[in-house]
Every structure is written in structure tokens, then in C-alpha cells.
Amino acid sequence: MTAPAPVPGLRHGLVLALDQASPTPLYLQLAEQIRARVADGAIRVGEAVPSERELSLIGGVSRVTVRKALDLLLREGLLSRRRGSGTYIAPRIQQSAALLAGFSAEMRGRGLEPGAVWIERTAGTATPEEAMALGLDLGAPVVRLARVRTADGEALAIERATVPTAFLPGPDSVAHSLYEALAARGFEPARGLQRLQASLATREEARLLGVPTGAAVLRIERRAYLPDGRAVELTRSAYRGDRYDFVAEVRDVRSGPQPRTGS
């Protein structure tokens, strides 16, 4: 099969070679061609994907076919859609499971602008589960913070944190970063423990994250502690499975003391 000539004026000569006679549906061929163009660098991570109209002209297929291919790649996580901006090649985020860092610091370290959409900012009393996790008396005062965490405007995770008011006086004490707010009061976490579990997005989580219901999510429960051992934070998060990889160093047990794990 001979590759078609580039369409003049469209995305610096991008070529997509689809076989109309193949039994493979055209939208699957187009999705595979886009994957290949990302792999060979013709479209780079972070770049905008050509519009539906451009891809239709380049590939010689209908816009319905293009839409089906893009929807497939969005579900896979190869692409991300930014409201009012377009569709982009999405980088996967690799985050260490052995470093204690907040979301804002992690995103800034990757050159991304962290943000948040607030779901809840309230004060209340600790539930039995929260009291046990945080080492509090039942009914002790706590602050609850729930928000969708974003990077460059894209929703990546849902975080629900509970913090004793001994460390955070009120829900309005956090403007952007919880860890920055704690550090400003002299209560910066020194270590943490976290549990990871693969799961599927509920309907509400899917709505907040902009993914299909039942999409893969990574659930993380984190407990952070001060140097004196007091628990300062209990956070339960749901991270998009199509955008996040959590990595951890492993060592032979005979190689010496193991590093502490945290978040």
C-alpha cells in the first residue's frame, strides 16, 4: 500500500496511511496510525492533535470515523482534552510512591501548573474511623477538605483530606496546597504511609475527572505524621489510571537497611 501524499497546509506534512480495503475498521487503523506518529515523534507529547477536520482530510475518512478514533485514544489515556483548548498528546505522570510530597509540589516539579476545584471545605467532628486513623478522641474537631486536583487545567485526581484542627484551625486555612498551609504553621509532615488499590471510577468520580464511568482509577489512602509521631493528615484519593504510574524502588533484603516509604 502506497502512503498518501501530505495534504498541503496541514500540520507540517503529517501523513496517515489507511487501507480502505482492509477488514480492520478505519477508526482502529486511524487510532493505530496516531499511536505510531506519537511513537516516531511526528506528534510529540504535549502537542495539540490536528482537528477532526484536518485528520479527516489527512486520512481520507469521515469525521465520524475520526471522532471514534479520538474517543478510543482518550479512553486509553494517550490523549487528553482541555476544555476550550483542544486535544493533546498526554504525558503519563510517574510519581514516586516513596517520597513525601504534596500534589502541588509534584506538579510544579514537572513544569505543570497545579490547581483545584473545591468540592467541600467544612469543619466537623471525627468519625470513629477518622479518630482511629488519626489517633484522636471520638468526636474531636477536624477539618475536611475535598477537591478535584488539576494540572494545567486537566482533572487528574480527587482528594478528600481530614486534618485535626490542632494543626489546621479552619477549612479556609488552605488556599492552594495543604502541605504548604501545614508547613506555614510549623506542622510539615515528616513521613507517611500509603496504601494503593486498583479500582474503577464511580459515576460521580467519572463526572468529576472527565473519564467514562468504570474507567481505571488508583485509590490511595495516605496517613502523614509529624516528626514526633502525631498523625497530621488522613487523605483518600482517586487518581486517573490512564494518566498516573506510581513507581517505587525495590532492593534485595540482603543489601542493607530499607528506606522508609511514604507519599
Side-chain angles (χ1 to χ4, degrees):
M1 180 176 60
T2 303
V7 178
L10 293 183
R11 192 157 177 88
H12 47 71
L14 181 67
V15 173
L16 299 172
L18 306 182
D19 184 357
Q20 299 280 348
S22 170
T24 302
L26 289 171
Y27 83 95
L28 292 178
Q29 292 186 49
L30 178 56
E32 180 55 35
Q33 288 284 308
I34 293 174
R35 292 189 199 99
R37 297 294 75 78
V38 173
D40 65 22
I43 313 175
R44 294 186 293 274
V45 169
E47 284 190 340
V49 175
S51 69
E52 286 184 7
R53 172 186 166 275
E54 289 180 305
L55 288 173
S56 175
L57 290 171
I58 295 169
V61 294
S62 72
R63 292 179 68 165
V64 172
T65 296
V66 171
R67 198 169 298 125
K68 288 179 67 175
L70 295 181
D71 286 345
L72 174 62
L73 296 174
L74 283 163
R75 290 196 300 272
E76 290 179 358
L78 181 71
L79 306 180
S80 66
R81 190 165 280 154
R82 301 177 193 171
R83 201 169 294 172
S85 178
T87 303
Y88 293 79
I89 304 300
R92 288 191 67 86
I93 297 172
Q94 286 197 345
Q95 182 168 327
S96 172
L99 293 177
L100 186 61
F103 182 92
S104 296
E106 280 280 350
M107 294 304 105
R108 291 194 190 104
R110 300 175 187 281
L112 303 173
E113 182 59 33
V117 178
W118 286 99
I119 303 170
E120 176 188 9
R121 274 201 280 194
T122 60
T125 56
T127 65
E129 186 180 17
E130 290 169 335
M132 182 175 296
L134 293 168
L136 301 173
D137 294 331
L138 186 62
V142 296
V143 168
R144 294 191 181 90
L145 308 168
R147 51 193 171 158
V148 177
R149 302 312 308 266
T150 65
D152 285 351
E154 181 186 13
L156 294 182
I158 302 168
E159 288 184 347
R160 299 181 184 275
T162 303
V163 180
T165 56
F167 310 124
L168 200 66
D172 294 331
S173 302
V174 178
H176 303 290
S177 167
L178 171 59
Y179 277 22
E180 289 174 5
L182 290 170
R185 290 166 174 78
F187 299 120
E188 185 172 12
R191 68 180 185 90
L193 298 174
Q194 62 182 19
R195 179 180 291 108
L196 287 70
Q197 180 184 29
S199 186
L200 302 176
T202 65
R203 182 176 298 178
E204 177 64 10
E205 289 171 337
R207 183 185 69 81
L208 293 171
L209 292 173
V211 299
T213 300
V217 294
L218 189 61
R219 300 194 188 280
I220 301 175
E221 180 183 287
R222 180 175 63 227
R223 304 181 190 189
Y225 300 88
L226 299 176
D228 62 10
R230 288 180 294 170
V232 68
E233 169 207 16
L234 169 66
T235 294
R236 292 186 174 93
S237 305
Y239 283 80
R240 284 176 52 176
D242 63 344
R243 299 286 277 105
Y244 261 89
D245 292 320
F246 279 78
V247 297
E249 179 184 5
V250 293
R251 297 182 183 181
D252 190 302
V253 295
R254 296 165 295 183
S255 65
Q258 303 302 298
R260 278 180 167 178
T261 59
S263 58

